[in-house]
Amino acid sequence: MTTATAHRGTPVGRLTVLYDADCPLCVHVRHWLLRQRQLVPLDLVPAGSQRARRLFPDLDHDATLREVTVVGDRGQVYRASAAWIVCLWALAEHRPRAHWLATPAGRPLARAAVLTAARWREARGGPGRTDGGCADGHCEMPGPPG
């Protein structure tokens, strides 16, 4: 996995997922994560919020609004596809999929998923847009890449 900060051999006991609270897709994924059985507890905190800034004063909080960021309880920082993979790894039913996505064969699929979500968010106005790009109340989920 690619991480901005990696502490090899340091176990992860808890993860904080920083998500864009103004993005309908991000909020949907947040709710989905909360419904899953967690092997590693996930704390979901709005990116760029006062709580996020207090918890992680050294993070680039503007960057956390542009790409999904997950922070481990020992200072590990996962961004982009590595963040998605570590979220799946924390879930009982999805840990085997996370292991596969972390392999050379799986990494392109994880990257494609993250890029698809980013393109969808950008098409709806990007991070920080207060209506989440869904002013008419009819948000569409992203289609397949390509």
Side-chain angles (χ1 to χ4, degrees):
M1 273 190 261
T2 304
T3 61
T5 306
H7 300 278
R8 295 212 180 269
T10 303
V12 176
R14 183 171 215 89
L15 294 166
T16 301
V17 180
L18 301 173
Y19 71 96
D20 183 351
D22 291 329
C23 164
L25 177 61
C26 303
V27 172
H28 174 78
V29 171
R30 174 195 181 272
H31 292 303
W32 180 81
L33 287 169
L34 290 173
R35 289 191 309 268
Q36 305 304 305
R37 189 166 65 90
Q38 300 173 4
L39 297 173
V40 175
L42 297 174
D43 297 320
L44 291 112
V45 175
S49 68
Q50 289 302 317
R51 181 173 177 214
R53 292 174 192 281
R54 187 177 65 253
L55 289 170
F56 310 110
D58 296 331
L59 273 184
D60 176 350
H61 291 279
D62 290 334
T64 66
L65 284 166
R66 288 189 304 273
E67 75 180 347
V68 62
T69 303
V70 177
V71 182
D73 58 351
R74 305 271 171 100
Q76 310 93 326
V77 176
Y78 306 89
R79 297 187 190 279
S81 58
W84 289 105
I85 293 169
V86 79
C87 283
L88 291 175
W89 174 83
L91 305 175
E93 291 184 35
H94 299 283
R95 186 168 276 186
R97 182 170 292 117
H99 284 291
W100 181 79
L101 288 169
T103 68
R107 271 189 225 118
L109 182 61
R111 180 163 167 68
V114 168
L115 290 174
T116 298
R119 280 196 308 260
W120 182 83
R121 288 180 69 221
E122 187 176 305
R124 265 97 192 131
R129 183 173 173 161
T130 57
D131 68 4
C134 305
D136 64 357
H138 295 92
C139 302
E140 295 181 32
M141 296 304 283

